[in-house]
Amino acid sequence: MGLLGWVTLLPLFGAALILLVPQEEESIHRGLGLLTAIVTFVVSLLMLSGFDAGQAGFQLEVNRSWIAPLGIRFHLGVDGISLWLVMLTTFLIPVTLLSPQAIGIRNIRVREFTAAMLILETGMIGAFLALDLFVFYVFWELMLIPMYFIIGIWGGERRFYAAIKFVIYTLVGSLLMLVAILYLYAQFHAATGGYSFDYAQLSHLSLPASAQMYCFFAFALAFAIKVPIFPLHTWLPDAHVEAPTGGSVILAGVMLKFGTYGLLRFALPLFPLAAAQAAPLIAILAVIGIVYGALMAFVQDDAKKLVAYSSVSHLGFVVLGILTLNPTGIQGAVYQMLAHGISTGGLFLGVGLLYDRRHSRKLSDFGGLWAKTPVFAACLLVIVLASVGLPGLCGFVGEFLVLIGTFTAQKLWGPAGLTGYFPAPKLMGGIAATSVIISAMYLLGMYQRLMFGPLDKPENRAVRDIHGAETWVFGIMVTAAIVMGLAPQPILNRSEKSVEAFVASYRDRLQEAKRNPDVPPHIYPPLPAAAAEGGGTP
Amino acid sequence: MTFNLRLIPLLPFLGAAILMLFGRKWKRDTVLIVAAGAIAGSCLVAFDAFFTALPRAAAGGGLHDVVGTWIAAGSLKVDLAFRMDALSGLLCLIITFIGFLIHLYSSGYMEHDPDYPRFFAYLNLFCGSMLVLVLGDSLPVMFIGWEGVGLCSYLLIGFWYTSNANADAGKKAFITNRIGDLGFLIGMFLLYQYTGSLNIPEITAAAQGGGALMQPLWGATVAFWAALFLFVGATGKSAQLPLYVWLPDAMAGPTPVSALIHAATMVTAGVYMVARMHAVYLLTPGAMAIVAIVGALTALFAAIIGFAQNDFKKVLAYSTISQLGFMFAGVGTGNFDAGVFHLFTHAFFKAGLFLCAGSVMHAMGGSGDITIMGGLRKKVPWTHGVFFVCWLAICGVPFFSGFFSKDSIIGGAFGTEIFDAAINPLAGEHLAWVGKAVGVVLMLAALGTAFYMSRLYFLVFSGSETRASDEIKHHIHESPGAMVGPLVVLAIGAALGGFIGLPGGLLDHPEWNLLADRLRPVLGPEMEISRAMEIGFMVGSVVLALGGIGLAYLFYGGGYREPARKFAAAAPRFVQLVRDKFRIDELYGFLIIRPVKAIAKGIFFVVDRILIDGFLVGGLAWVVDLVGSIARWLQGGDVQRYMAVFAIGVAAIAYLATQPMHTFFSNALKVTVNGLTVDVDAHRGSIAANRVLDYSFDFDDDGKPEVTGVASGAHHVYPQPGTYTVRVKVKDPSWGTSSTLTQKVEVR
């Protein structure tokens, strides 16, 4: 099955195993779940060690025929971009399962919760690794289902509303994407005579300008909802507020990244011309999202909602970084995805812990907790500062690179004769950078209202500091935030080649598409011989 | 030359980490040994580097230490690297030496605080960050320190966190600093964009080359905007107009913190940064003028506010803002080594003043209200002695340290040639007034400084009567040795520190100016002004200093005197306005903070709740719901409804079936143009496709069809090029229905 197959499917097997254990054996469910997640993490470390940073293309590929008549292949592969997103997933799932608060305060059906988290993990890893658009779509939808249940069953008071809003929003986008995938499939047949959903082949298909626009819209809408890009973000605060802690951590930590990963992996390379034409609009929306999300976070009294809106702001940086279309900006975007997983994951764990202790998320219900929970307060401070983007912690590196990339966006594109597509880079960068002020305002404001001030609410006197497994959870997150801030290079080194190759090939294909905007679907650049054989025949 | 510079910041960082992880369970002495030991070690390494290794290093480069690559992505590469030259070395000495003294002092001052280990952990963290700031070889590494000291400042201002006021003050400091940091970041990005590097030596080289940074941008040059944005960062960190508002509030922190962070070291980071980037600033006299003017105005403005403050530390806070203004006026007039010189002397006398404030407040049971003090000269003799020396130093009384440094700034402002278009080709004609105007404002500020500092001295120490309650009076005592010791060392520095920067030129021994001698390879030759001018300013500033002191004596000598009362009675509203700090805080609250909050709240409800969730999401859901309920109503089981739907359906099909062709999706014609010849095909397929239809083609839309018949296609040759409208009428003879298609054609 290959290393990647194991990484993908191990959690699913674990989930199946857990579902066989009787309902009442909760500690076995927890133990088995954690064990599965840790084993998956270890296997993913093998993947990491087997990864060759010097190569740009996909590695460790698994490629076997699945539904031969339709040319569908079970094709997985990892490059420098998906590598780290998979690592983020396999890292966050065990940490979340270790946290006693993951399931939320409706502490029921531990078996099903643990299984749902593991199925979710398979869906996410599969979607990151899939190199066949059909397989990608299957995994993409697969992760929707457990998350729907996680919100709907273990969520808060308005869990049904939030779960349905989440599903409908996501489905609207993904169904259009499915149509576009099928269109690509048909056009590939028209151009080559072969049938294939294979990414490596479809990414050589060059569509005429108008068709690119429709398909790009379909893909981009699906991904924009997932990110979420302003103004498609309103499902996010609801989903986060209602989801149990574990759901929020994974939703923000990993699932939102499918939006930005999808833009980077599919929407831009498959439709280069349309992407370039839409780039100014999306970049402007990203900048609006950065400021807008931050301002919204600033006025929330609900800690979870505050963190949710901060995600809108932070993910805006990722989108902006991708659209700079230069290696610095995209490296920053990739790094920001990981850093956001750590910092926002940590914030949700922290807020979840307080909710578990106090059954409240309202900031006005807290105050002066430092005296009661010094260790937790110190951990949360590091995570808050990482999210604020303090240099030396993980949040800085990504934002810094994205902003550098934004400022230099036009300069790098000048020689290629493509200047002007990125509107006013200095202005955009400058506006985006104002979030350094606003993020300090809302996050330190939140921190102050939780930890500082007099301990004047009697309910807060009994709040206990972190202990046992909780110490491990926060210790791990804090360590990750510090290490990623001080030593980003091991990560950046491994994604460098893939990002550079992405930029080079995108530029090449964009220039080709600009030369021939009205040529019917054709193959560019020519398919390598080995890949050309991969297509199935009806 | 390489040198293990990383040890200098690493030791305090290690101290901080150890104290954070284990300090909570340790005895106070152990905590102190770790904390003070870490900073003492760092101090020794810094002295070794500065006095032993640095003189042996090559002139421009200094000592260098590359730890490794920090961030490399795309074309950007930032090393975690440190560099010590005379400028950063001098700052390292100040930070580690005064830092060490303040660690010792704090062991006495914080003796009874339950959070003793946390305090020292923060202090160590601060020292480490500050050392990274000055030693960083690139702007991003400098920015680690820049933000790190901001964080420590935040943590230490809010150290006594149970009071919301303290926490608010910490947050205000951090956020105001972040406004500046935005400027710093943008300046950094501009420099990177145009020089391709973030390493300070490379930027300096590029700036000295000129070209890249002299490109036009937004009506000025790149250098101007980069320098200006960096200076915005400096106004935040160094509390200059208009971002100074956080520093007075920062006095909420423990006093040793005020001395170390908010007087001697952190707040001078902006001055250091401007001096560090002097090559960029020298390209743009316009930006330097802004630096100098902002500095001078801040110096005067803060001094005026200092006249009316009644809190010991608040007076010192405004005094710090004012003195920082002097330093900026120095570097802004191109007198970089004078700015750094004042930074050095100020570190001693201001740290001394703050620690005296701590000692006095310690004696007064924690109160810093100077209206209840008085006559403390005899009760806290050591503290008084130190304060006395530092007071003379800050007033600029001859031969005390402040005299030399302040004088070289004021003299430089009058003598600068940076703004003189005749000498400096980069300067515009309209800048010539800047140097002299700055000089005049600085002289007024110097007078003000002497006045408010003397007011403070007289109200606290002079007279025979202490105005406090008997209970407080009873407890007044001199501070323990751990606090007095560092005070005395600082007083020695405040008294003699000026001699490192003697105006050697004046005495025909330029080499006597040790400071300028060391800084010359980094900052270039010191400014030279004529002997007559120099002597003139010296005499003038002595007169100003003595005048300020004398005036204050008239008002406050031995306590509040008649003129002070009369003045306060004559202009009560003005005095109140000054005491309320011109209500700038309230103005910011009214103009910025409240509107931002209100707008954000408004947007949240209007855009997120009503527009997006209400209209868009809710509207879509409503449409789906509506369609659903109509469909449900239609299939409600009522036979008549079914019949009605059935009838409508039949009618619709009949209508479509009788149309000669659909014009439903498009009424475009298939047109082929070939020169003046046009072929038109009106066959579009239809439900009635196999019926015979009558076509009439009107190629020029004049109402007279050119071609008629049952063929769906037609051919026409236009007489001359132009744009024509083709109108095709299609008739179905069996049903009598018809439809029309039109299309524009262009023939050439």
Side-chain angles (χ1 to χ4, degrees):
Chain A
M1 198 157 59
L3 195 56
L4 297 189
W6 281 109
V7 179
T8 310
L9 296 178
L10 259 177
L12 193 64
F13 297 153
L17 199 64
I18 288 167
L19 289 172
L20 295 176
V21 178
Q23 177 77 60
E24 53 275 9
E25 303 286 349
E26 290 192 356
S27 53
I28 296 185
H29 302 136
R30 284 185 201 276
L32 261 180
L34 191 57
L35 186 71
T36 310
I38 291 173
V39 171
T40 311
F41 180 61
V42 171
V43 176
S44 73
L45 285 178
L46 293 179
M47 171 186 82
L48 181 60
S49 71
F51 183 85
D52 176 6
Q55 275 190 48
F58 292 100
Q59 305 180 27
L60 306 170
E61 282 181 74
V62 175
N63 192 353
R64 15 173 91 226
S65 184
W66 186 16
I67 308 176
L70 299 178
I72 296 170
R73 304 181 66 82
F74 189 74
H75 188 182
L76 305 179
V78 64
D79 73 347
I81 299 166
S82 53
L83 173 75
W84 289 108
L85 290 164
V86 171
M87 292 307 298
L88 177 71
T89 313
T90 58
F91 172 80
L92 275 182
I93 291 273
V95 174
T96 309
L97 288 178
L98 183 63
S99 161
Q101 284 83 34
I103 196 168
I105 56 169
R106 284 167 57 80
N107 197 356
I108 52 164
R109 295 178 176 272
V110 175
R111 180 174 70 169
E112 283 78 4
F113 179 79
T114 314
M117 291 290 280
L118 291 175
I119 296 170
L120 184 61
E121 185 177 12
T122 287
M124 295 188 298
I125 297 175
F128 279 134
L129 292 178
L131 289 182
D132 183 289
L133 265 70
F134 185 84
V135 177
F136 170 73
Y137 192 77
V138 168
F139 280 118
W140 171 276
E141 293 293 314
L142 175 64
M143 65 189 170
L144 197 59
I145 299 159
M147 188 46 91
Y148 170 71
F149 285 116
I150 288 173
I151 300 173
I153 296 175
W154 293 276
E157 278 164 26
R158 294 170 72 228
R159 56 183 177 273
F160 302 124
Y161 172 75
I164 287 174
K165 197 171 177 181
F166 165 73
V167 164
I168 290 179
Y169 249 110
T170 314
L171 271 183
V172 166
S174 56
L175 286 176
L176 281 178
M177 180 170 75
L178 180 63
V179 173
I181 291 177
L182 294 176
Y183 178 80
L184 273 180
Y185 180 71
Q187 293 304 313
F188 184 77
H189 175 66
T192 66
Y195 285 101
S196 175
F197 283 103
D198 199 275
Y199 174 73
Q201 304 194 33
L202 292 183
S203 62
H204 287 260
L205 179 64
S206 190
L207 295 175
S210 57
Q212 282 203 22
M213 211 65 219
Y214 289 117
C215 291
F216 179 77
F217 175 77
F219 270 76
L221 183 71
F223 298 137
I225 289 172
K226 206 82 178 183
V227 172
I229 294 176
F230 175 87
L232 302 169
H233 63 279
T234 61
W235 65 270
L236 181 84
D238 284 310
H240 270 307
V241 167
E242 299 309 325
T245 302
S248 298
V249 172
I250 299 305
L251 190 58
V254 185
M255 284 181 81
L256 301 188
K257 276 73 179 191
F258 280 102
T260 45
Y261 172 76
L263 284 175
L264 193 55
R265 173 71 81 226
F266 299 109
L268 267 62
L270 293 178
F271 319 108
L273 189 58
Q277 283 161 348
L281 176 69
I282 302 179
I284 288 169
L285 288 177
V287 171
I288 293 177
I290 290 171
V291 177
Y292 184 86
L295 280 176
M296 292 306 98
F298 181 50
V299 292
Q300 302 303 323
D301 186 45
D302 183 315
K304 246 182 155 178
K305 228 173 196 172
L306 187 153
V307 179
Y309 273 110
S310 83
S311 286
V312 177
S313 178
H314 285 129
L315 267 292
F317 272 102
V318 182
V319 177
L320 186 64
I322 291 172
L323 292 177
T324 61
L325 290 168
N326 61 45
T328 313
I330 296 177
Q331 283 272 57
V334 171
Y335 206 84
Q336 173 80 349
M337 288 195 236
L338 309 175
H340 175 263
I342 302 297
S343 63
T344 305
L347 284 176
F348 275 121
L349 285 168
V351 172
L353 184 116
L354 289 174
Y355 186 57
D356 181 68
R357 300 276 204 273
R358 281 277 287 103
H359 287 208
S360 170
R361 292 183 305 255
K362 282 168 74 91
L363 293 174
S364 42
D365 286 348
F366 292 93
L369 279 181
W370 187 305
K372 288 280 143 196
T373 61
V375 180
F376 173 61
C379 292
L380 191 66
L381 181 64
V382 175
I383 292 167
V384 159
L385 294 170
S387 192
V388 169
L390 204 76
L393 296 171
C394 62
F396 173 72
V397 180
E399 286 184 11
F400 183 72
L401 289 177
V402 168
L403 289 173
I404 289 257
T406 307
F407 264 74
T408 49
Q410 213 155 14
K411 190 181 164 193
L412 280 174
W413 281 78
L418 296 167
T419 48
Y421 87 91
F422 197 94
K426 292 193 194 73
L427 181 68
M428 303 269 281
I431 296 174
T434 56
S435 80
V436 304
I437 303 170
I438 316 176
S439 67
M441 281 160 67
Y442 65 79
L443 280 165
L444 291 183
M446 174 185 90
Y447 190 77
Q448 180 181 346
R449 292 172 74 183
L450 294 174
M451 296 298 170
F452 295 151
L455 187 66
D456 51 6
K457 310 214 171 42
E459 306 91 323
N460 290 334
R461 300 241 165 80
V463 173
R464 212 183 143 191
D465 205 350
I466 49 173
H467 52 86
E470 294 162 356
T471 316
W472 281 100
V473 169
F474 283 96
I476 291 169
M477 295 304 273
V478 165
T479 311
I482 296 173
V483 169
M484 278 182 64
L486 290 177
Q489 217 44 47
I491 293 177
L492 292 172
N493 276 341
R494 283 175 178 77
S495 57
E496 187 183 6
K497 284 279 176 298
S498 299
V499 167
E500 279 169 2
F502 165 85
V503 173
S505 107
Y506 178 82
R507 244 184 236 194
D508 178 38
R509 298 203 49 219
L510 176 57
Q511 278 168 324
E512 195 269 344
K514 277 207 157 182
R515 281 195 302 273
N516 313 310
D518 299 320
V519 177
H522 59 283
I523 296 297
Y524 180 86
L527 286 167
E533 288 162 16
T537 42
Chain B
M1 192 168 129
T2 55
F3 186 90
N4 213 357
L5 291 174
R6 69 190 77 173
L7 273 181
I8 300 175
L10 190 64
L11 285 171
F13 278 139
L14 274 180
I18 291 170
L19 289 177
M20 275 175 201
L21 289 173
F22 312 110
R24 283 195 301 155
K25 310 233 159 75
W26 284 357
K27 277 191 293 194
R28 276 158 201 252
D29 288 347
T30 325
V31 170
L32 180 66
I33 288 167
V34 169
I39 190 74
S42 163
C43 188
L44 290 177
V45 179
F47 269 84
D48 181 42
F50 189 81
F51 288 105
T52 321
L54 189 56
R56 281 189 270 128
L63 306 173
H64 196 219
D65 184 15
V66 183
V67 181
T69 301
W70 180 33
I71 305 177
S75 48
L76 174 83
K77 184 167 183 292
V78 179
D79 280 338
L80 186 58
F82 303 111
R83 184 181 297 274
M84 181 190 273
D85 55 15
L87 177 61
S88 53
L90 182 73
L91 268 285
C92 278
L93 300 187
I94 299 173
I95 296 158
T96 52
F97 182 68
I98 294 187
F100 175 68
L101 291 179
I102 287 176
H103 275 68
L104 290 186
Y105 178 92
S106 304
S107 71
Y109 190 83
M110 300 298 286
E111 200 175 10
H112 305 292
D113 198 285
D115 275 326
Y116 194 81
R118 187 161 64 91
F119 180 81
F120 279 100
Y122 289 170
L123 269 196
N124 266 353
L125 187 64
F126 169 78
C127 291
S129 306
M130 189 69 206
L131 290 163
V132 169
L133 194 164
V134 297
L135 287 173
D137 192 29
S138 62
L139 288 172
V141 174
M142 190 176 178
F143 195 63
I144 300 182
W146 187 270
E147 293 277 278
V149 292
L151 166 69
C152 297
S153 166
Y154 165 77
L155 293 170
L156 282 163
I157 294 168
F159 182 74
W160 290 307
Y161 56 85
T162 49
S163 144
N164 262 326
N166 295 353
D168 279 338
K171 192 174 70 178
K172 181 173 175 182
F174 196 88
I175 290 168
T176 316
N177 266 294
R178 277 241 149 182
I179 297 175
D181 295 348
L182 174 64
F184 191 106
L185 279 173
I186 291 177
M188 187 161 31
F189 296 148
L190 285 176
L191 287 174
Y192 176 72
Q193 192 185 345
Y194 289 92
T195 67
S197 176
L198 285 169
N199 289 339
I200 295 169
E202 284 169 32
I203 293 173
T204 306
Q208 280 158 352
L213 292 175
M214 293 310 285
Q215 295 174 45
L217 178 72
W218 303 323
T221 59
V222 175
F224 173 81
W225 291 109
L228 192 68
F229 276 114
L230 287 177
F231 179 60
V232 171
T235 58
K237 187 83 16 194
S238 296
Q240 297 295 291
L241 284 170
L243 296 180
Y244 70 94
V245 288
W246 64 271
L247 187 61
D249 290 23
M251 298 300 124
T255 303
V257 170
S258 311
L260 178 61
I261 301 184
H262 304 124
T265 56
M266 181 186 89
V267 288
T268 63
V271 182
Y272 168 75
M273 190 263 288
V274 174
R276 180 89 284 171
M277 306 305 293
H278 67 281
V280 176
Y281 280 87
L282 283 174
L283 291 178
T284 165
M288 290 189 70
I290 294 174
V291 175
I293 292 167
V294 168
L297 290 180
T298 309
L300 183 62
F301 179 75
I304 293 172
I305 295 180
F307 290 172
Q309 298 306 307
N310 283 333
D311 184 278
F312 203 140
K313 285 177 73 181
K314 284 267 162 76
V315 178
L316 293 180
Y318 281 103
S319 159
T320 305
I321 296 172
S322 170
Q323 296 298 308
L324 290 165
F326 273 93
M327 296 176 210
F328 277 109
V331 294
T333 50
N335 201 357
F336 295 104
D337 53 340
V340 175
F341 184 24
H342 197 56
L343 188 162
F344 174 82
T345 58
H346 176 258
F348 282 93
F349 62 68
K350 189 51 66 65
L353 290 170
F354 264 113
L355 294 188
C356 287
S359 178
V360 167
M361 285 162 65
H362 202 74
M364 296 290 291
S367 168
D369 184 358
I370 57 175
T371 59
I372 63 164
M373 295 177 186
L376 295 180
R377 191 174 64 244
K378 301 242 172 55
K379 292 172 182 160
V380 286
W382 283 99
T383 305
H384 166 254
V386 172
F387 193 96
F388 183 77
V389 171
C390 294
W391 164 54
L392 296 181
I394 192 175
C395 290
V397 170
F399 312 117
F400 287 87
S401 61
F403 164 74
F404 294 108
S405 56
K406 202 183 286 183
D407 196 57
S408 61
I409 287 176
I410 296 177
F414 282 104
T416 184
E417 289 164 350
I418 292 276
F419 305 117
D420 190 342
I423 296 164
N424 184 357
L426 296 169
E429 293 290 340
H430 54 286
L431 288 177
W433 56 277
V434 172
K436 292 182 181 61
V438 165
V440 170
V441 175
L442 289 182
M443 290 183 101
L444 289 175
L447 176 69
T449 305
F451 178 78
Y452 71 75
M453 281 310 298
S454 308
R455 168 179 177 265
L456 183 64
Y457 172 79
F458 291 131
L459 285 182
V460 174
F461 292 102
S462 72
S464 50
E465 190 70 12
T466 306
R467 297 179 288 275
S469 67
D470 286 344
E471 196 194 344
I472 293 176
K473 269 198 271 193
H474 184 71
H475 280 109
I476 295 175
H477 58 280
E478 183 58 283
S479 300
M483 289 164 71
V484 172
L487 278 176
V488 173
V489 177
L490 288 172
I492 295 170
L496 304 178
F499 287 94
I500 68 157
L502 280 179
L506 188 66
L507 307 167
D508 284 328
H509 284 281
E511 74 280 5
W512 285 4
N513 192 338
L514 300 174
L515 185 77
D517 225 31
R518 297 278 316 235
L519 288 176
R520 198 170 300 124
V522 186
L523 297 176
E526 63 270 32
M527 191 175 286
E528 279 176 29
I529 57 174
S530 72
R531 181 171 298 196
M533 262 175 93
E534 185 137 9
I535 293 176
F537 289 121
M538 220 167 243
V539 173
S541 60
V542 171
V543 170
L544 286 175
L546 296 179
I549 294 172
L551 196 64
Y553 184 79
L554 281 180
F555 275 53
Y556 301 105
Y560 290 95
R561 286 174 144 205
E562 199 50 35
R565 289 200 200 95
K566 267 195 190 151
F567 184 77
R573 294 181 58 183
F574 179 69
V575 171
Q576 191 57 41
L577 186 66
V578 177
R579 186 161 297 154
D580 291 347
K581 312 150 212 164
F582 294 104
R583 304 198 186 103
I584 300 291
D585 275 303
E586 289 77 1
L587 184 73
Y588 285 179
F590 181 74
L591 284 183
I592 300 166
I593 298 157
R594 273 195 282 169
V596 167
K597 201 154 197 170
I599 289 169
K601 269 208 169 114
I603 292 175
F604 174 61
F605 283 105
V606 175
V607 178
D608 245 47
R609 285 278 168 83
I610 299 175
L611 271 180
I612 298 178
D613 255 6
F615 282 111
L616 285 179
V617 178
L620 267 177
W622 182 80
V623 170
V624 172
D625 208 52
L626 184 73
V627 173
S629 30
I630 292 172
R632 193 171 53 217
W633 179 79
L634 287 175
Q635 304 174 51
D638 183 341
V639 180
Q640 280 155 334
R641 256 181 253 158
Y642 286 129
M643 285 309 292
V645 173
F646 177 73
I648 293 168
V650 168
I653 291 169
Y655 173 76
L656 283 176
T658 56
Q659 289 306 301
M661 62 184 61
H662 353 210
T663 51
F664 192 71
F665 291 109
S666 155
N667 60 357
L669 289 161
K670 235 180 244 166
V671 179
T672 321
V673 183
N674 186 7
L676 290 174
T677 313
V678 170
D679 282 297
V680 171
D681 188 358
H683 181 77
R684 303 191 30 81
S686 91
I687 296 171
N690 51 0
R691 263 196 302 277
V692 178
L693 305 172
D694 291 334
Y695 294 89
S696 65
F697 294 86
D698 183 359
F699 281 96
D700 41 14
D701 198 19
D702 56 357
K704 286 174 247 161
E706 278 79 15
V707 183
T708 52
V710 294
S712 69
H715 179 82
H716 184 71
V717 181
Y718 285 102
Q720 59 199 42
T723 311
Y724 300 93
T725 304
V726 181
R727 187 179 294 275
V728 182
K729 205 164 179 191
V730 189
K731 231 174 147 176
D732 186 339
S734 45
W735 297 95
T737 54
S738 70
S739 50
T740 305
L741 302 170
T742 58
Q743 171 111 357
K744 273 207 161 57
V745 290
E746 200 186 335
V747 290
R748 265 172 285 185

